[in-house]
């Protein structure tokens, strides 16, 4: 609301301002809520790193659900293993990746999902500190994917630490996003830019 016309996300020659980013994320959030998804539900996001992935992450947060980021460039068997063990209720992906959704799990194409709900208003908050914010899949020492849950409270603690320790994060900040989408540093990059009014 403070900088609605300021650039929030930049990818190549595309720039999405804060107003449009919020509206797109709200549409995703309402589409998920209308499917009954919310706190304690996990939604996998299997998208290339970029604007669309950021919109999906923010939409899942706004729905109250938690997300599991999956890099679609990983080998298919590993993606299948991550999704099978993640306890997800839905998979958000581009058309080509939708068949990766396990049986019984909703496969949601990101373009259609952004158009599914007519609502663009901010959804009321539903997630509390103890609810999961996201699930990260790591290989650990075995080479088999293992999942670690990060709570909403822990994520809020990270944001507060960034605010206290990095006073240089301001609306004028432009940050380069370099981390793999399946790695939680992607989310830290998102927070360091967008939650301080900067551009990623």
């Amino acid at each position: 609301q403070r900088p609605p016309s300021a650039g929030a996300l930049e990818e190549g020659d595309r720039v999405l301002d804060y107003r449009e980013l919020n509206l797109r994320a709200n549409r995703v959030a309402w589409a998920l809520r209308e499917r009954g998804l919310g706190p304690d539900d996990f939604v996998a996001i299997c998208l290339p790193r970029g604007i669309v992935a950021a919109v999906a992450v923010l939409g899942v947060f706004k729905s109250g659900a938690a997300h599991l980021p999956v890099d679609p460039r990983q080998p298919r068997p590993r993606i299948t293993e991550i999704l099978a063990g993640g306890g997800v209720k839905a998979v958000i992906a581009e058309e080509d990746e939708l068949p990766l959704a396990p049986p019984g799990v909703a496969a949601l194409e990101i373009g259609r999902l952004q158009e599914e709900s007519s609502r663009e208003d901010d959804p009321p908050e539903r997630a509390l500190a103890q609810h999961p914010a996201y699930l990260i899949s790591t290989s650990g020492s075995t080479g088999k994917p293992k999942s670690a849950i990060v709570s909403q409270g822990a994520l809020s603690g990270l944001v507060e630490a960034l605010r206290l320790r990095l006073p240089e994060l301001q609306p004028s900040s432009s940050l380069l996003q370099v981390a793999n989408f399946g790695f939680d540093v992607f989310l830290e990059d998102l927070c360091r830019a967008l939650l301080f009014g900067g551009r990623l």
Side-chain angles (χ1 to χ4, degrees), residues 6-12 14-18 21 49-51 53-55 57-58 169-179 181 185-200:
L9 297 170
E10 180 178 340
E11 179 184 358
R14 295 172 59 209
V15 177
L16 204 64
D17 65 27
Y18 272 89
L21 171 60
R49 183 180 63 182
I51 287 176
V55 167
V57 167
L58 295 173
L169 294 177
Q170 301 291 331
S172 59
S173 301
S174 289
L175 298 161
L176 182 64
Q177 204 289 306
V178 295
F181 177 57
V185 174
F186 174 90
L187 187 59
E188 184 179 335
D189 288 342
L190 206 65
C191 291
R192 282 189 302 158
L194 301 185
L195 298 187
F196 296 87
R199 177 185 297 211
L200 186 63

Short mmCIF file of all heavy atoms in Angstrom, two decimals, residues 6-12 14-18 21 49-51 53-55 57-58 169-179 181 185-200:
data_model
loop_
_atom_site.label_atom_id
_atom_site.label_comp_id
_atom_site.label_asym_id
_atom_site.label_seq_id
_atom_site.Cartn_x
_atom_site.Cartn_y
_atom_site.Cartn_z
N ALA A 6 5.60 1.17 -7.23
CA ALA A 6 7.04 0.87 -7.25
C ALA A 6 7.26 -0.55 -7.76
O ALA A 6 6.45 -1.45 -7.53
CB ALA A 6 7.62 1.02 -5.85
N GLY A 7 8.38 -0.75 -8.45
CA GLY A 7 8.71 -2.08 -8.95
C GLY A 7 9.01 -3.03 -7.80
O GLY A 7 9.80 -2.71 -6.91
N ALA A 8 8.38 -4.20 -7.80
CA ALA A 8 8.61 -5.20 -6.76
C ALA A 8 9.49 -6.34 -7.29
O ALA A 8 10.44 -6.75 -6.63
CB ALA A 8 7.28 -5.76 -6.26
N LEU A 9 9.16 -6.83 -8.46
CA LEU A 9 9.89 -7.95 -9.06
C LEU A 9 10.32 -7.58 -10.48
O LEU A 9 9.53 -7.02 -11.24
CB LEU A 9 9.00 -9.20 -9.11
CG LEU A 9 8.54 -9.77 -7.77
CD1 LEU A 9 7.48 -10.85 -8.00
CD2 LEU A 9 9.71 -10.33 -6.99
N GLU A 10 11.55 -7.91 -10.81
CA GLU A 10 12.07 -7.64 -12.15
C GLU A 10 12.70 -8.93 -12.69
O GLU A 10 13.51 -9.56 -12.01
CB GLU A 10 13.12 -6.53 -12.10
CG GLU A 10 13.71 -6.19 -13.44
CD GLU A 10 14.70 -5.04 -13.36
OE1 GLU A 10 14.66 -4.28 -12.37
OE2 GLU A 10 15.52 -4.92 -14.28
N GLU A 11 12.28 -9.31 -13.89
CA GLU A 11 12.82 -10.52 -14.52
C GLU A 11 13.03 -10.21 -16.00
O GLU A 11 12.05 -10.03 -16.73
CB GLU A 11 11.85 -11.69 -14.34
CG GLU A 11 12.32 -12.98 -14.99
CD GLU A 11 11.29 -14.09 -14.88
OE1 GLU A 11 10.23 -13.91 -14.27
OE2 GLU A 11 11.56 -15.17 -15.43
N GLY A 12 14.28 -10.11 -16.41
CA GLY A 12 14.54 -9.69 -17.78
C GLY A 12 14.01 -8.29 -18.00
O GLY A 12 14.33 -7.37 -17.24
N ARG A 14 10.76 -7.61 -17.81
CA ARG A 14 9.44 -7.55 -17.16
C ARG A 14 9.59 -7.00 -15.75
O ARG A 14 10.47 -7.42 -15.00
CB ARG A 14 8.81 -8.94 -17.08
CG ARG A 14 8.48 -9.56 -18.41
CD ARG A 14 8.03 -11.00 -18.23
NE ARG A 14 6.86 -11.09 -17.37
CZ ARG A 14 6.60 -12.14 -16.60
NH1 ARG A 14 7.42 -13.17 -16.55
NH2 ARG A 14 5.50 -12.16 -15.86
N VAL A 15 8.72 -6.06 -15.38
CA VAL A 15 8.69 -5.53 -14.03
C VAL A 15 7.25 -5.59 -13.53
O VAL A 15 6.32 -5.18 -14.21
CB VAL A 15 9.19 -4.07 -13.97
CG1 VAL A 15 9.08 -3.52 -12.56
CG2 VAL A 15 10.63 -3.98 -14.47
N LEU A 16 7.07 -6.13 -12.33
CA LEU A 16 5.76 -6.20 -11.70
C LEU A 16 5.77 -5.26 -10.51
O LEU A 16 6.65 -5.35 -9.65
CB LEU A 16 5.51 -7.64 -11.22
CG LEU A 16 4.06 -8.09 -11.05
CD1 LEU A 16 3.33 -8.06 -12.39
CD2 LEU A 16 4.00 -9.49 -10.46
N ASP A 17 4.80 -4.33 -10.46
CA ASP A 17 4.78 -3.40 -9.33
C ASP A 17 4.06 -4.04 -8.13
O ASP A 17 3.46 -5.12 -8.25
CB ASP A 17 4.19 -2.05 -9.72
CG ASP A 17 2.72 -2.10 -10.11
OD1 ASP A 17 1.98 -2.99 -9.64
OD2 ASP A 17 2.28 -1.22 -10.90
N TYR A 18 4.13 -3.37 -7.00
CA TYR A 18 3.57 -3.94 -5.77
C TYR A 18 2.06 -4.15 -5.87
O TYR A 18 1.53 -5.14 -5.35
CB TYR A 18 3.91 -3.04 -4.57
CG TYR A 18 5.23 -3.38 -3.95
CD1 TYR A 18 6.40 -2.78 -4.41
CD2 TYR A 18 5.34 -4.32 -2.93
CE1 TYR A 18 7.64 -3.09 -3.85
CE2 TYR A 18 6.56 -4.64 -2.37
CZ TYR A 18 7.70 -4.03 -2.83
OH TYR A 18 8.92 -4.36 -2.29
N LEU A 21 1.45 -7.23 -8.09
CA LEU A 21 1.94 -8.41 -7.38
C LEU A 21 0.93 -8.83 -6.31
O LEU A 21 0.60 -10.02 -6.18
CB LEU A 21 3.30 -8.12 -6.74
CG LEU A 21 3.86 -9.18 -5.79
CD1 LEU A 21 4.04 -10.52 -6.50
CD2 LEU A 21 5.17 -8.71 -5.18
N ARG A 49 12.36 -20.54 -11.24
CA ARG A 49 12.61 -19.34 -10.45
C ARG A 49 12.25 -18.11 -11.28
O ARG A 49 12.59 -18.01 -12.45
CB ARG A 49 14.09 -19.30 -10.07
CG ARG A 49 14.47 -18.14 -9.20
CD ARG A 49 15.94 -18.19 -8.87
NE ARG A 49 16.77 -18.05 -10.07
CZ ARG A 49 18.09 -18.09 -10.06
NH1 ARG A 49 18.73 -18.32 -8.94
NH2 ARG A 49 18.77 -17.93 -11.16
N GLY A 50 11.52 -17.17 -10.67
CA GLY A 50 11.15 -15.96 -11.38
C GLY A 50 9.88 -15.35 -10.81
O GLY A 50 9.43 -15.71 -9.72
N ILE A 51 9.28 -14.44 -11.57
CA ILE A 51 8.10 -13.71 -11.11
C ILE A 51 6.96 -14.66 -10.77
O ILE A 51 6.31 -14.53 -9.74
CB ILE A 51 7.66 -12.68 -12.18
CG1 ILE A 51 8.64 -11.50 -12.19
CG2 ILE A 51 6.24 -12.19 -11.91
CD1 ILE A 51 8.36 -10.47 -13.27
N ALA A 53 6.95 -17.80 -9.88
CA ALA A 53 7.21 -18.56 -8.65
C ALA A 53 6.99 -17.69 -7.43
O ALA A 53 6.41 -18.13 -6.43
CB ALA A 53 8.63 -19.12 -8.66
N ALA A 54 7.43 -16.43 -7.49
CA ALA A 54 7.25 -15.51 -6.36
C ALA A 54 5.77 -15.25 -6.11
O ALA A 54 5.31 -15.23 -4.96
CB ALA A 54 7.99 -14.21 -6.61
N VAL A 55 4.98 -15.07 -7.16
CA VAL A 55 3.54 -14.87 -7.02
C VAL A 55 2.90 -16.09 -6.35
O VAL A 55 2.07 -15.96 -5.45
CB VAL A 55 2.88 -14.61 -8.40
CG1 VAL A 55 1.36 -14.72 -8.31
CG2 VAL A 55 3.28 -13.24 -8.93
N VAL A 57 4.36 -18.34 -4.35
CA VAL A 57 4.77 -18.41 -2.95
C VAL A 57 3.93 -17.46 -2.10
O VAL A 57 3.39 -17.83 -1.05
CB VAL A 57 6.27 -18.09 -2.80
CG1 VAL A 57 6.64 -17.86 -1.34
CG2 VAL A 57 7.11 -19.22 -3.38
N LEU A 58 3.79 -16.21 -2.55
CA LEU A 58 3.03 -15.23 -1.79
C LEU A 58 1.55 -15.61 -1.72
O LEU A 58 0.89 -15.40 -0.70
CB LEU A 58 3.20 -13.84 -2.39
CG LEU A 58 4.62 -13.28 -2.31
CD1 LEU A 58 4.73 -11.96 -3.08
CD2 LEU A 58 5.06 -13.07 -0.87
N LEU A 169 18.32 -2.19 4.49
CA LEU A 169 17.20 -2.65 3.68
C LEU A 169 16.11 -1.58 3.68
O LEU A 169 15.43 -1.37 4.69
CB LEU A 169 16.65 -3.98 4.22
CG LEU A 169 17.60 -5.18 4.11
CD1 LEU A 169 16.98 -6.41 4.74
CD2 LEU A 169 17.97 -5.46 2.65
N GLN A 170 15.95 -0.90 2.58
CA GLN A 170 15.04 0.23 2.45
C GLN A 170 14.25 0.10 1.14
O GLN A 170 14.59 -0.71 0.28
CB GLN A 170 15.83 1.54 2.44
CG GLN A 170 16.68 1.79 3.67
CD GLN A 170 15.84 2.06 4.90
OE1 GLN A 170 14.72 2.59 4.80
NE2 GLN A 170 16.34 1.72 6.07
N PRO A 171 13.17 0.90 0.99
CA PRO A 171 12.43 0.86 -0.27
C PRO A 171 13.28 1.13 -1.51
O PRO A 171 12.92 0.73 -2.61
CB PRO A 171 11.38 1.96 -0.08
CG PRO A 171 11.15 1.99 1.39
CD PRO A 171 12.51 1.73 2.00
N SER A 172 14.42 1.79 -1.33
CA SER A 172 15.29 2.06 -2.48
C SER A 172 16.21 0.88 -2.81
O SER A 172 16.94 0.91 -3.80
CB SER A 172 16.16 3.29 -2.20
OG SER A 172 16.94 3.07 -1.03
N SER A 173 16.16 -0.19 -1.99
CA SER A 173 17.08 -1.32 -2.19
C SER A 173 16.68 -2.15 -3.40
O SER A 173 15.50 -2.46 -3.60
CB SER A 173 17.08 -2.22 -0.94
OG SER A 173 17.48 -1.50 0.20
N SER A 174 17.67 -2.55 -4.18
CA SER A 174 17.49 -3.53 -5.26
C SER A 174 18.39 -4.71 -4.94
O SER A 174 19.59 -4.54 -4.73
CB SER A 174 17.86 -2.94 -6.62
OG SER A 174 16.92 -1.98 -7.02
N LEU A 175 17.80 -5.90 -4.91
CA LEU A 175 18.54 -7.10 -4.53
C LEU A 175 18.52 -8.10 -5.67
O LEU A 175 17.48 -8.31 -6.31
CB LEU A 175 17.93 -7.73 -3.28
CG LEU A 175 17.98 -6.83 -2.03
CD1 LEU A 175 16.99 -7.28 -0.99
CD2 LEU A 175 19.38 -6.84 -1.46
N LEU A 176 19.65 -8.75 -5.89
CA LEU A 176 19.76 -9.77 -6.93
C LEU A 176 19.42 -11.13 -6.33
O LEU A 176 19.98 -11.52 -5.31
CB LEU A 176 21.18 -9.79 -7.50
CG LEU A 176 21.45 -10.77 -8.63
CD1 LEU A 176 20.62 -10.42 -9.86
CD2 LEU A 176 22.93 -10.78 -8.97
N GLN A 177 18.50 -11.84 -6.96
CA GLN A 177 18.09 -13.15 -6.46
C GLN A 177 18.87 -14.22 -7.20
O GLN A 177 18.77 -14.35 -8.42
CB GLN A 177 16.58 -13.33 -6.67
CG GLN A 177 15.92 -14.32 -5.73
CD GLN A 177 16.31 -15.75 -6.03
OE1 GLN A 177 16.15 -16.22 -7.15
NE2 GLN A 177 16.84 -16.44 -5.05
N VAL A 178 19.69 -14.99 -6.47
CA VAL A 178 20.55 -15.97 -7.12
C VAL A 178 20.34 -17.40 -6.63
O VAL A 178 20.81 -18.34 -7.25
CB VAL A 178 22.05 -15.61 -6.95
CG1 VAL A 178 22.35 -14.30 -7.68
CG2 VAL A 178 22.44 -15.50 -5.50
N ALA A 179 19.62 -17.58 -5.52
CA ALA A 179 19.50 -18.92 -4.94
C ALA A 179 18.54 -19.79 -5.74
O ALA A 179 17.58 -19.31 -6.35
CB ALA A 179 19.01 -18.82 -3.49
N PHE A 181 15.48 -22.15 -6.48
CA PHE A 181 14.11 -22.03 -5.95
C PHE A 181 13.83 -23.08 -4.87
O PHE A 181 13.06 -22.83 -3.94
CB PHE A 181 13.09 -22.15 -7.08
CG PHE A 181 11.66 -22.10 -6.60
CD1 PHE A 181 11.20 -21.02 -5.87
CD2 PHE A 181 10.78 -23.14 -6.86
CE1 PHE A 181 9.89 -20.97 -5.41
CE2 PHE A 181 9.48 -23.10 -6.41
CZ PHE A 181 9.03 -22.01 -5.69
N VAL A 185 17.04 -20.15 0.88
CA VAL A 185 17.61 -18.81 0.68
C VAL A 185 16.77 -18.03 -0.34
O VAL A 185 16.71 -16.80 -0.28
CB VAL A 185 19.09 -18.91 0.25
CG1 VAL A 185 19.65 -17.53 -0.08
CG2 VAL A 185 19.90 -19.53 1.37
N PHE A 186 16.09 -18.74 -1.25
CA PHE A 186 15.18 -18.05 -2.18
C PHE A 186 14.15 -17.25 -1.40
O PHE A 186 13.88 -16.09 -1.70
CB PHE A 186 14.47 -19.07 -3.08
CG PHE A 186 13.41 -18.45 -3.96
CD1 PHE A 186 13.72 -17.99 -5.23
CD2 PHE A 186 12.09 -18.34 -3.52
CE1 PHE A 186 12.74 -17.41 -6.04
CE2 PHE A 186 11.12 -17.76 -4.33
CZ PHE A 186 11.45 -17.30 -5.58
N LEU A 187 13.58 -17.87 -0.37
CA LEU A 187 12.57 -17.19 0.43
C LEU A 187 13.18 -16.05 1.23
O LEU A 187 12.57 -14.98 1.38
CB LEU A 187 11.88 -18.19 1.36
CG LEU A 187 10.69 -17.65 2.13
CD1 LEU A 187 9.61 -17.13 1.19
CD2 LEU A 187 10.13 -18.73 3.04
N GLU A 188 14.40 -16.23 1.72
CA GLU A 188 15.07 -15.15 2.44
C GLU A 188 15.29 -13.96 1.51
O GLU A 188 15.09 -12.80 1.91
CB GLU A 188 16.40 -15.63 3.02
CG GLU A 188 17.09 -14.57 3.86
CD GLU A 188 18.40 -15.06 4.45
OE1 GLU A 188 18.57 -16.28 4.63
OE2 GLU A 188 19.26 -14.20 4.74
N ASP A 189 15.68 -14.22 0.26
CA ASP A 189 15.84 -13.15 -0.71
C ASP A 189 14.52 -12.41 -0.93
O ASP A 189 14.48 -11.17 -1.00
CB ASP A 189 16.34 -13.69 -2.05
CG ASP A 189 17.80 -14.14 -2.01
OD1 ASP A 189 18.51 -13.72 -1.09
OD2 ASP A 189 18.20 -14.89 -2.92
N LEU A 190 13.45 -13.18 -1.03
CA LEU A 190 12.12 -12.59 -1.23
C LEU A 190 11.77 -11.66 -0.06
O LEU A 190 11.31 -10.53 -0.26
CB LEU A 190 11.09 -13.72 -1.34
CG LEU A 190 9.81 -13.45 -2.12
CD1 LEU A 190 10.09 -13.20 -3.59
CD2 LEU A 190 8.85 -14.63 -1.96
N CYS A 191 12.02 -12.14 1.16
CA CYS A 191 11.73 -11.34 2.36
C CYS A 191 12.60 -10.09 2.42
O CYS A 191 12.11 -8.99 2.74
CB CYS A 191 11.95 -12.18 3.62
SG CYS A 191 10.75 -13.51 3.85
N ARG A 192 13.90 -10.24 2.13
CA ARG A 192 14.82 -9.11 2.24
C ARG A 192 14.44 -7.98 1.28
O ARG A 192 14.69 -6.81 1.57
CB ARG A 192 16.26 -9.55 1.95
CG ARG A 192 16.92 -10.28 3.10
CD ARG A 192 18.38 -10.50 2.83
NE ARG A 192 18.60 -11.25 1.59
CZ ARG A 192 19.72 -11.24 0.89
NH1 ARG A 192 20.73 -10.49 1.27
NH2 ARG A 192 19.84 -11.97 -0.18
N ALA A 193 13.83 -8.33 0.17
CA ALA A 193 13.43 -7.29 -0.78
C ALA A 193 12.01 -6.80 -0.50
O ALA A 193 11.78 -5.65 -0.17
CB ALA A 193 13.54 -7.82 -2.21
N LEU A 194 11.03 -7.70 -0.61
CA LEU A 194 9.64 -7.28 -0.63
C LEU A 194 9.11 -6.80 0.70
O LEU A 194 8.27 -5.91 0.75
CB LEU A 194 8.76 -8.43 -1.16
CG LEU A 194 9.09 -8.93 -2.56
CD1 LEU A 194 8.09 -9.97 -3.00
CD2 LEU A 194 9.14 -7.78 -3.56
N LEU A 195 9.56 -7.37 1.80
CA LEU A 195 9.04 -6.97 3.10
C LEU A 195 9.64 -5.65 3.58
O LEU A 195 9.25 -5.13 4.62
CB LEU A 195 9.23 -8.06 4.14
CG LEU A 195 8.51 -9.38 3.83
CD1 LEU A 195 8.62 -10.34 4.98
CD2 LEU A 195 7.05 -9.13 3.47
N PHE A 196 10.56 -5.10 2.79
CA PHE A 196 11.14 -3.80 3.11
C PHE A 196 10.88 -2.79 2.01
O PHE A 196 11.45 -1.70 1.99
CB PHE A 196 12.65 -3.96 3.38
CG PHE A 196 12.93 -4.80 4.60
CD1 PHE A 196 13.03 -6.17 4.50
CD2 PHE A 196 13.03 -4.22 5.85
CE1 PHE A 196 13.25 -6.96 5.62
CE2 PHE A 196 13.25 -5.00 6.98
CZ PHE A 196 13.36 -6.37 6.87
N GLY A 197 10.01 -3.16 1.06
CA GLY A 197 9.63 -2.23 0.00
C GLY A 197 10.61 -2.12 -1.14
O GLY A 197 10.48 -1.22 -1.98
N GLY A 198 11.60 -3.02 -1.20
CA GLY A 198 12.61 -2.95 -2.25
C GLY A 198 12.19 -3.72 -3.51
O GLY A 198 11.06 -4.15 -3.66
N ARG A 199 13.17 -3.90 -4.39
CA ARG A 199 12.94 -4.61 -5.65
C ARG A 199 13.85 -5.82 -5.72
O ARG A 199 15.02 -5.75 -5.36
CB ARG A 199 13.24 -3.67 -6.82
CG ARG A 199 13.08 -4.34 -8.20
CD ARG A 199 13.50 -3.44 -9.34
NE ARG A 199 12.67 -2.26 -9.42
CZ ARG A 199 12.38 -1.64 -10.56
NH1 ARG A 199 12.85 -2.09 -11.71
NH2 ARG A 199 11.64 -0.55 -10.56
N LEU A 200 13.26 -6.92 -6.15
CA LEU A 200 14.04 -8.16 -6.29
C LEU A 200 14.19 -8.45 -7.77
O LEU A 200 13.20 -8.48 -8.50
CB LEU A 200 13.31 -9.32 -5.60
CG LEU A 200 14.04 -10.65 -5.52
CD1 LEU A 200 15.30 -10.55 -4.70
CD2 LEU A 200 13.14 -11.74 -4.97
#
